[in-house]
């Protein structure tokens, strides 16, 4: 096995210089760096990362924990893509670890990344409670930032969107457009996002004096086929609705298809709105109206805050993010507005 001494000898420099090149610490001229890199390539030298991390007290790596049930959606694709790109610009590496299926496994994933000497960890928790996350953060020296949860104790360590307020605002826009009979397809109700978006729907109805009808609520689990099944259930049970809001775009696209198969025109007979504004949303027929969530902005804030923490900066709690309804062809005025203008 090639050693750092052999690399130094071939490059004509000291071992200390090779170490500085590998760690990125200390000044080394570009000419010398190129000599060291050439020697590494010629000798096939592979540095012992653990030893280097121990020596420098920094691995230049950031861990990201997401449970595997969330990998498939565009929301999480965008999150991972921007995380990797931003960290690359910072000269850091992203390590993705599966949070699997329980709070214990999410906790184990965090511990695994810290055992690998990641400088910090970002987690999008699904199972760990707010109390558990606050406790984990308090127990560790390395920063652990939480996306999409509002912590009670470590408010500087969480970056989140107000799902409740965003959902309420979107549903309220439908009400102001003259819709009163609004169906709602939930996300998984074992997820905080699913519960909060449903609660926002209920809040908007209550604000405008519209009675909540449980028959208009169908539980989904984020997949397009649940959007199809939700529409079929509503129609089979003869539930009246002039608009349907789905908790993500995949289910909204399923709803569009089910309505088309039944010969129900969108938006003339039923308006359809989704969440997340995935790249496909403008290209459905009709183009899907959707609530755009600020995923990119949240990731930018998360990475910036984490880097600032690693640099010893003073961090203050940030304001919650909110989404914006992007209106496209699938949204039109409802029957109540039409009556009012007659």
């Amino acid at each position: 096995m090639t050693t750092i001494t052999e690399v130094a000898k071939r490059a004509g420099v000291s071992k200390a210089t090779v170490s500085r090149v590998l760690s990125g610490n200390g000044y080394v001229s570009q000419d010398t760096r190129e000599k060291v890199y050439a020697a590494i390539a010629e000798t096939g030298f592979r540095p012992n990362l653990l030893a280097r991390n121990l020596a420098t007290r920094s691995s230049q790596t950031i861990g990201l924990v997401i449970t595997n049930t969330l990998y498939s959606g565009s929301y999480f694709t965008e999150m991972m893509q921007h995380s990797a790109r931003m960290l690359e610009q910072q000269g850091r590496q992203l390590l993705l670890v599966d949070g699997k299926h329980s709070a214990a496994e999410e906790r184990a994933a965090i511990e695994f990344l810290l055992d690998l000497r990641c400088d910090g960890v970002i987690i999008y928790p699904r199972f760990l409670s707010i109390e558990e996350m606050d406790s984990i953060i308090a127990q560790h020296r390395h920063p652990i930032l939480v996306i999409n949860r509002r912590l009670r104790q470590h408010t500087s360590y969480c970056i989140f969107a107000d799902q409740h307020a965003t959902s309420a605002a979107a549903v309220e826009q439908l009400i102001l457009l003259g819709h009163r009979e609004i169906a709602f397809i939930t996300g998984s109700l074992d997820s905080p996002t699913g519960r909060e978006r449903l609660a926002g729907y209920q809040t908007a109805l209550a604000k405008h004096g519209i009675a909540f009808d449980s028959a208009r609520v169908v539980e989904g689990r984020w997949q397009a086929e649940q959007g199809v099944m939700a529409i079929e259930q509503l129609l089979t049970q003869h539930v009246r609705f002039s608009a349907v809001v789905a908790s993500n775009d995949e289910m909204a696209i399923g709803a569009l298809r089910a309505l088309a198969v039944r010969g129900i025109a969108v938006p003339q007979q039923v308006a359809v709105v989704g969440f997340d504004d995935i790249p496909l949303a403008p290209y459905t027929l009709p183009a899907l109206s959707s609530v755009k969530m600020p995923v990119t902005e949240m990731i930018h804030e998360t990475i910036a805050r984490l880097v600032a923490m690693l640099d010893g900066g003073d961090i203050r709690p940030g304001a919650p993010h909110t989404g914006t309804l992007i209106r496209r062809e699938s949204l039109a005025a409802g029957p109540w507005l039409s009556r009012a203008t007659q």
Side-chain angles (χ1 to χ4, degrees), residues 184-187 194 197-198 222 245-249 251 273-276:
F184 193 86
I185 307 172
T186 78
R197 288 180 179 174
L198 173 60
W222 309 117
V245 177
S247 289
N248 75 346
D249 285 346
M251 292 190 298
V273 171
F275 268 84
D276 302 334

Side-chain angles (χ1 to χ4, degrees), residues 63-84 94-102 105-107 109-110 113 121-128 145-148 295 299:
L64 175 63
V65 178
I66 302 178
T67 180
N68 62 48
T69 58
L70 303 176
Y71 287 174
S72 60
S74 296
Y75 182 98
F76 296 97
T77 300
E78 184 178 352
M79 179 182 296
M80 288 185 279
Q81 180 185 55
H82 283 284
S83 296
L94 178 70
L95 295 182
L96 175 64
V97 173
D98 184 6
K100 298 183 181 176
H101 311 291
S102 67
E105 288 170 314
E106 284 184 333
R107 182 187 291 269
I110 294 172
L113 288 166
V121 174
I122 301 167
I123 178 170
Y124 191 107
R126 178 163 186 185
F127 303 105
L128 283 165
L145 269 63
V146 180
I147 298 179
N148 207 38
V295 180
I299 287 298

Side-chain angles (χ1 to χ4, degrees), residues 4-116:
I4 194 170
T5 302
E6 294 174 73
V7 172
K9 184 177 180 180
R10 183 176 288 265
V13 299
S14 67
K15 289 198 300 181
T17 299
V18 176
S19 295
R20 285 199 298 274
V21 171
L22 292 174
S23 67
N25 294 325
Y27 174 76
V28 179
S29 70
Q30 185 60 36
D31 182 60
T32 301
R33 285 181 185 276
E34 291 175 359
K35 288 179 180 178
V36 171
Y37 288 138
I40 289 172
E42 292 166 5
T43 60
F45 174 70
R46 297 185 64 185
N48 185 319
L49 292 179
L50 180 58
R52 189 183 76 181
N53 294 349
L54 288 169
T56 63
R57 297 186 180 182
S58 174
S59 65
Q60 298 298 305
T61 59
I62 301 298
L64 175 63
V65 178
I66 302 178
T67 180
N68 62 48
T69 58
L70 303 176
Y71 287 174
S72 60
S74 296
Y75 182 98
F76 296 97
T77 300
E78 184 178 352
M79 179 182 296
M80 288 185 279
Q81 180 185 55
H82 283 284
S83 296
R85 284 182 177 175
M86 284 199 68
L87 288 170
E88 181 182 6
Q89 292 169 2
Q90 295 282 342
R92 290 179 163 93
Q93 182 65 263
L94 178 70
L95 295 182
L96 175 64
V97 173
D98 184 6
K100 298 183 181 176
H101 311 291
S102 67
E105 288 170 314
E106 284 184 333
R107 182 187 291 269
I110 294 172
E111 297 289 349
F112 175 75
L113 288 166
L114 293 175
D115 287 344
L116 289 177

Side-chain angles (χ1 to χ4, degrees), residues 116-307:
L116 289 177
R117 297 191 172 272
C118 285
D119 296 330
V121 174
I122 301 167
I123 178 170
Y124 191 107
R126 178 163 186 185
F127 303 105
L128 283 165
S129 68
I130 291 171
E131 293 75 18
E132 288 171 317
M133 288 304 316
D134 270 324
S135 175
I136 290 170
I137 292 169
Q139 292 169 14
H140 292 92
R141 176 175 61 84
H142 290 82
I144 300 169
L145 269 63
V146 180
I147 298 179
N148 207 38
R149 292 285 186 91
R150 185 185 307 202
L151 301 180
R152 296 191 180 95
Q153 298 177 22
H154 297 85
T155 53
S156 297
Y157 288 73
C158 60
I159 297 88
F160 61 94
D162 193 332
Q163 303 285 354
H164 185 135
T166 296
S167 178
V171 174
E172 183 172 31
Q173 288 192 55
L174 284 172
I175 294 170
L176 295 176
L177 280 171
H179 294 280
R180 296 292 184 273
E181 297 169 331
I182 303 171
F184 193 86
I185 307 172
T186 78
S188 300
L189 294 181
D190 62 351
S191 78
T193 298
R195 294 192 297 270
E196 289 174 17
R197 288 180 179 174
L198 173 60
Y201 162 75
Q202 294 172 302
T203 295
L205 295 182
K207 178 180 177 180
H208 290 271
I210 301 172
F212 173 75
D213 184 352
S214 61
R216 290 197 179 97
V217 176
V218 182
E219 183 175 354
R221 301 189 67 83
W222 309 117
Q223 303 300 319
E225 55 264 30
Q226 274 103 48
V228 173
M229 291 187 290
I231 295 299
E232 290 297 331
Q233 177 178 320
L234 292 167
L235 295 176
T236 300
Q237 295 178 357
H238 305 289
V239 177
R240 289 171 53 88
F241 60 99
S242 67
V244 58
V245 177
S247 289
N248 75 346
D249 285 346
E250 282 81 357
M251 292 190 298
I253 289 171
L256 285 176
R257 174 170 175 76
L259 291 166
V261 168
R262 287 289 196 114
I264 298 173
V266 176
Q268 293 86 350
Q269 292 174 274
V270 174
V272 178
V273 171
F275 268 84
D276 302 334
D277 195 34
I278 64 174
L280 185 61
Y283 300 100
T284 61
L285 288 174
L288 178 64
S289 299
S290 182
V291 179
K292 182 174 181 59
M293 300 304 295
V295 180
T296 301
E297 293 83 353
M298 290 170 64
I299 287 298
H300 279 228
E301 182 181 344
T302 301
I303 300 300
R305 186 171 295 196
L306 182 55
V307 170

